[in-house]
Amino acid sequence: MEQESVVHRVHPRLRPFVAAAVGYRHEGMPPGEHLGLPSPFLTVVLPFDEPLEMAAHPDPAQAPGRYEGLIGGLHTRPARIAHRGRQAGIQLSLTPAGARALLGCPAGVLASLDAPVDDVLGPVGSELVERVRSAAGWAARFAVLQEVLLRQLRDDVARPEVAEAWRLTTASGGRLPVSAVAARIGWSTRYLEQRFRAETGLAPKEAARVVRFDRARRELAVRAAEGRPLDLAGLAGATGFADQAHLTREWRALSGLPPTRWLAAEFGFVQDTRALTAALSEA
């Protein structure tokens, strides 16, 4: 199997909105499915060679489909992506602030949904897909991507209290209780829950769960890729879970698999997860 993951450091003006930009290419895999898991980021996928085939979406009511380019909102259930033994493209991880700045809508509008890029961005989405596909090499692809995103930038921001609540949730690794977040921004817990969900698509408690899970998943992938002991009990303690049993319950709930089974099923994509972690550490 041949694998390639390429991290691109985006323009400084884009960094508050694009947490990571990673190019990927996998060839020689047996046909199967890849899981798109909950994370604190909206996802933009621009496949190169053939459409992205979604076998199942986070919202089970959304029908399977094929996408020339896809934008996915925040979610708490896994997506299933079918492949025929090869995949190549660019994946962007957008912050909720990036939804307003680059997509022109609050992240809550896209909650648990996967949408064609041109449905969200209109003609700019079609331009982005076509130009990225026709560019020769990673540097040219990322240059096109950056040019289009810089053109898309707009001055549209969430209420500062919601932005601070999101920052507190992510900066604490999902460990800060919702009541403490509400107290720090000066809102009632009930009002925070209403405004936070409307803006992001997740309730504050759901966001904390997703943040903890995402950190644990990326750390487990790095440990596996580097050949280090997995140490699930230590991983649970380091990423905010009460114990290994709590970690395993949450992993099943958010991915559909316990940690070691997820790792076995997804090991061919661990390099991408490791590249994402590297990109996030540079942000």
Side-chain angles (χ1 to χ4, degrees):
M1 182 171 68
E2 297 182 12
Q3 293 180 295
E4 184 180 17
S5 295
V6 180
V7 173
H8 174 69
R9 187 168 177 81
V10 299
H11 190 281
R13 290 178 60 204
L14 294 173
R15 287 176 197 160
F17 314 115
V18 181
V22 178
Y24 60 90
R25 183 175 292 279
H26 303 276
E27 297 185 7
M29 301 182 293
E33 290 185 349
H34 166 53
L35 293 176
L37 297 181
S39 83
F41 307 107
L42 292 85
T43 303
V44 180
V45 182
L46 303 171
F48 297 156
D49 303 321
E50 54 190 35
L52 191 71
E53 186 172 346
M54 300 298 295
H57 300 273
D59 180 355
Q62 188 174 358
R66 291 165 63 83
Y67 295 79
E68 301 295 336
L70 177 143
I71 297 175
L74 301 180
H75 54 97
T76 58
R77 295 179 180 177
R80 295 190 356 249
I81 304 154
H83 63 84
R84 301 174 186 178
R86 59 177 296 173
Q87 283 190 318
I90 291 175
Q91 178 172 317
L92 303 180
S93 299
L94 302 187
T95 65
R100 283 186 179 270
L102 297 170
L103 307 181
C105 63
V109 171
L110 295 166
S112 293
L113 294 178
D114 293 317
V117 168
D118 53 0
D119 277 8
V120 179
L121 296 179
V124 172
S126 299
E127 175 197 351
L128 180 60
V129 169
E130 292 168 6
R131 291 183 60 196
V132 166
R133 277 189 172 178
S134 62
W138 291 114
R141 291 169 183 143
F142 283 120
V144 167
L145 177 68
Q146 187 157 282
E147 176 204 324
V148 174
L149 292 181
L150 286 170
R151 275 199 280 121
Q152 277 293 106
L153 268 181
R154 65 197 78 194
D155 294 324
D156 186 6
V157 297
R159 290 187 61 167
E161 296 90 346
V162 176
E164 177 63 5
W166 181 266
R167 189 195 68 78
L168 289 168
T169 300
T170 55
S172 68
R175 298 174 189 240
L176 197 62
V178 176
S179 58
V181 174
R184 291 197 187 186
I185 65 171
W187 281 356
S188 70
T189 300
R190 182 186 178 92
Y191 190 65
L192 170 63
E193 289 175 347
Q194 292 172 345
R195 302 312 308 166
F196 194 97
R197 184 185 289 277
E199 181 64 34
T200 69
L202 299 179
K205 188 173 182 178
E206 290 176 323
R209 290 179 65 206
V210 166
V211 168
R212 286 194 300 269
F213 169 71
D214 180 68
R215 290 196 174 190
R217 175 177 68 93
R218 289 189 284 106
E219 175 60 23
L220 184 65
V222 169
R223 291 181 184 184
E226 294 178 351
R228 292 190 279 135
L230 301 183
D231 183 17
L232 295 182
L235 178 66
T239 51
F241 295 89
D243 52 29
Q244 183 176 336
H246 181 209
L247 170 73
T248 299
R249 287 196 303 273
E250 285 290 88
W251 212 293
R252 284 183 182 274
L254 294 167
S255 78
L257 296 169
T260 52
R261 281 189 58 198
W262 168 81
L263 191 60
E266 293 285 299
F267 195 78
F269 296 92
V270 161
Q271 183 175 333
D272 291 342
T273 303
R274 191 179 180 188
L276 173 60
T277 299
L280 293 174
S281 69
E282 294 178 3

